Amino acid sequence: MITLSLIGIGTGNLDHVTLAAVRALNNADLILLPRKGEAKSDLIDLRRLLCERLLEAPVTTKIVEFDLPSRDGRNDYLGAVDDWHAAIANVWAQQIDEHLPNGGRVGMLVWGDPSLYDSSLRITQRLSAAGKQVEVEVVPGITSLQVLTAEHKIPLNALAEPVQITTGRRLRERGWPNDAATVAVMLDSGGAFTALPQDDIYIWWGAYLGMDKQCLIKGWLSDVGDQIIQRRAALRDTHGWIMDIYLLAKQPLL
């Protein structure tokens, strides 16, 4: 039997890792760390740092790095993601069979939280569907959305009003969601907010939240929209990758 712990590690800030996550790391027999290529080496470097700082001595946990399969950029987005998840599940299974053949506890360090726009739970389900005996443990983590509101010192919602969390792709395709006073946008490839009217929407934007390279911008879209797009492009050129998120509202949040 394999116990697979999906451990939310927040946004890369050591101070954002919960005590439950530390316990789960130290209880693991095997920790799998995904490599996403040289351009995103910061992401595995942060995972290595977490293991170095949080695993208690003497360290008996085996730490194994593996290359994460790349997603096909074809137009059939959902089909490409489905194939990608299948490839990742195969790699996970291979690593577990090789390094923990007699069963035990496996730790996967999940950016943010496993429940919010992350596919680790879906990939784990594929392992079970393929016949591997897997018991899943989920350790929640601080999300980038929580850090965004904390850094901008705002609540997530206007008083007694609903919030919708969506993606940049959906925002471009469908515009402002019905009945949402506040919209949180994740997984935007850049500038999806330009599909919206610019003169009556306020934005709170953040990139690399919780990291030493954190960048924040806020203001009316008509005033700061172009600035965000330019700043985002410059940051991506500098670091080779970017993670950002933003909150949009049509009324004050305080």
Side-chain angles (χ1 to χ4, degrees):
M1 169 68 76
I2 292 294
T3 299
L4 180 55
S5 297
L6 303 176
I7 306 169
I9 58 172
T11 58
N13 188 323
L14 279 168
D15 292 337
H16 292 174
V17 180
T18 67
L19 293 175
V22 175
R23 282 195 297 270
L25 278 172
N26 280 281
N27 287 337
D29 302 302
L30 170 68
I31 295 175
L32 296 177
L33 302 183
R35 291 188 295 255
K36 297 186 177 183
E38 187 61 32
K40 296 184 178 181
S41 60
D42 285 355
L43 299 180
I44 193 165
D45 287 343
L46 284 167
R47 285 182 167 93
R48 290 170 182 149
L49 179 64
L50 289 176
C51 290
E52 178 184 330
R53 297 284 183 85
L54 300 178
L55 288 174
E56 300 170 359
V59 177
T60 59
T61 304
K62 180 183 291 186
I63 301 173
V64 174
E65 299 181 8
F66 66 97
D67 292 320
L68 193 72
S70 299
R71 176 168 60 85
D72 191 327
R74 66 181 190 262
N75 291 333
D76 175 19
Y77 175 75
L78 292 179
V81 170
D82 187 63
D83 291 345
W84 183 43
H85 288 173
I88 294 173
N90 287 336
V91 172
W92 284 13
Q94 291 168 8
Q95 296 297 324
I96 292 169
D97 288 344
E98 178 179 351
H99 299 287
L100 212 60
N102 298 318
R105 301 184 68 89
V106 181
M108 299 288 299
L109 279 61
V110 177
W111 213 254
D113 182 88
S115 70
L116 185 58
Y117 281 112
D118 180 84
S119 293
S120 52
L121 281 164
R122 297 183 183 92
I123 296 168
T124 301
Q125 190 175 38
R126 288 176 178 269
L127 296 178
S128 298
K132 185 173 289 294
Q133 288 188 313
V134 179
E135 180 179 341
V136 182
E137 174 187 63
V138 178
V139 181
I142 291 177
T143 67
S144 58
L145 183 54
Q146 291 170 282
V147 182
L148 179 74
T149 55
E151 292 297 321
H152 279 294
K153 302 175 179 62
I154 55 171
L156 177 60
N157 63 296
L159 185 62
E161 291 289 349
V163 176
Q164 180 157 333
I165 303 173
T166 189
T167 65
R169 179 186 298 271
R170 290 296 189 188
L171 194 69
R172 287 185 187 277
E173 292 175 350
R174 301 184 180 183
W176 191 272
N178 293 332
D179 299 327
T182 305
V183 179
V185 183
M186 305 180 69
L187 303 177
D188 184 0
S189 59
F193 52 76
T194 59
L196 302 174
Q198 303 292 292
D199 55 358
D200 64 347
I201 296 175
Y202 203 90
I203 185 170
W204 295 264
W205 175 83
Y208 310 108
L209 292 166
M211 304 181 194
D212 56 6
K213 56 175 75 73
Q214 175 177 287
C215 181
L216 302 171
I217 297 175
K218 64 180 180 179
W220 294 103
L221 271 182
S222 55
D223 295 330
V224 303
D226 289 343
Q227 178 188 350
I228 290 172
I229 292 172
Q230 294 166 11
R231 183 64 172 149
R232 186 184 190 280
L235 288 168
R236 183 164 189 159
D237 287 344
T238 298
H239 301 295
W241 64 280
I242 191 165
M243 283 187 180
D244 64 335
I245 183 174
Y246 51 90
L247 195 65
L248 304 168
K250 293 185 177 181
Q251 60 179 303
L253 295 178
L254 288 173

